[in-house]
Amino acid sequence: MSGKKAKDSLITMNELVLPNDTNTLNNLMGGRLLHWMDIAAAISAQRHSNHIVVTASVDNVSFKQPIKLGDVVTINAKVTRAFHTSVEVRLDVWAENIPSGTRIKSNEAYYTFVALNDEGKTVPVPELIPESDEEKALYDGALRRRQLRLILSGKMNPDDATELKALFNAAKQ
């Protein structure tokens, strides 16, 4: 199985915030945004793996700015690293008010997906080939983020998280 470039998994999804998408303050409901983000991230992961994928984890969804009724939401999703049967996808969310010409970054997050075959069994995914400096930095950080996810879910002993320990030891020096 040959590797794939990160840029080949890039997805840009746009949504218009309508009244049914908002809360009583006319802000986009967080759950609706998470739904849209899950769709964009899944498409990116499927594009990389060429398989059906299921969401394994969602972490660090930061709500920095509210998104208002009438805004156009742009979600950019791209695979940052592939592991044996899973991929990490980074999402950046922008809100644009077209009449005023303003555009703000509202959210960012990392989603993890597992690739499945037709019988629902996990399957290997292609290696990710990062090219740009930003892609390489995200690729390098993905192993630390993965170890943190595994520790928090009880699937990894903190003593086994060599990448995280190295990061903290370097910070002490």
Side-chain angles (χ1 to χ4, degrees):
M1 179 180 315
S2 61
K4 288 186 168 183
K5 296 176 182 176
K7 67 182 179 187
D8 295 333
S9 68
L10 177 63
I11 297 297
T12 300
M13 186 169 114
N14 292 295
E15 295 285 344
L16 176 63
V17 180
L18 298 172
N20 195 44
D21 301 321
T22 63
N23 60 26
T24 54
L25 298 172
N26 285 327
N27 294 328
L28 177 64
M29 290 184 289
R32 178 83 74 209
L33 180 60
L34 292 172
H35 173 78
W36 291 342
M37 292 169 71
D38 194 45
I39 292 169
I43 294 169
S44 177
Q46 287 181 14
R47 184 175 278 176
H48 180 81
S49 67
N50 290 105
H51 285 279
I52 298 298
V53 297
V54 293
T55 310
S57 71
V58 177
D59 56 306
N60 194 29
V61 179
S62 303
F63 292 87
K64 296 177 181 168
Q65 296 288 331
I67 299 173
K68 299 291 190 185
L69 174 65
D71 285 353
V72 174
V73 176
T74 301
I75 303 170
N76 295 315
K78 183 165 58 170
V79 173
T80 55
R81 187 152 182 172
F83 297 97
H84 181 65
T85 60
S86 66
V87 296
E88 179 190 79
V89 179
R90 178 185 167 92
L91 297 104
D92 292 298
V93 179
W94 298 86
E96 181 181 8
N97 182 289
I98 293 176
S100 71
T102 59
R103 185 174 189 255
I104 58 163
K105 185 171 184 181
S106 174
N107 300 72
E108 55 190 44
Y110 291 96
Y111 281 51
T112 303
F113 290 86
V114 175
L116 303 176
N117 65 15
D118 293 337
E119 289 81 43
K121 304 290 184 199
T122 59
V123 292
V125 297
E127 176 185 350
L128 183 82
I129 304 167
E131 296 178 295
S132 70
D133 289 342
E134 179 186 15
E135 288 171 355
K136 290 174 185 174
L138 289 169
Y139 179 91
D140 291 340
L143 187 53
R144 292 186 293 274
R145 289 186 296 274
R146 181 174 192 256
Q147 287 181 353
L148 183 58
R149 276 182 218 112
L150 292 172
I151 290 169
L152 292 173
S153 67
K155 296 177 183 174
M156 177 181 258
N157 184 320
D159 292 333
D160 297 333
T162 55
E163 291 293 317
L164 281 176
K165 289 195 316 190
L167 176 68
F168 287 108
N169 288 334
K172 289 180 185 178
Q173 298 175 2

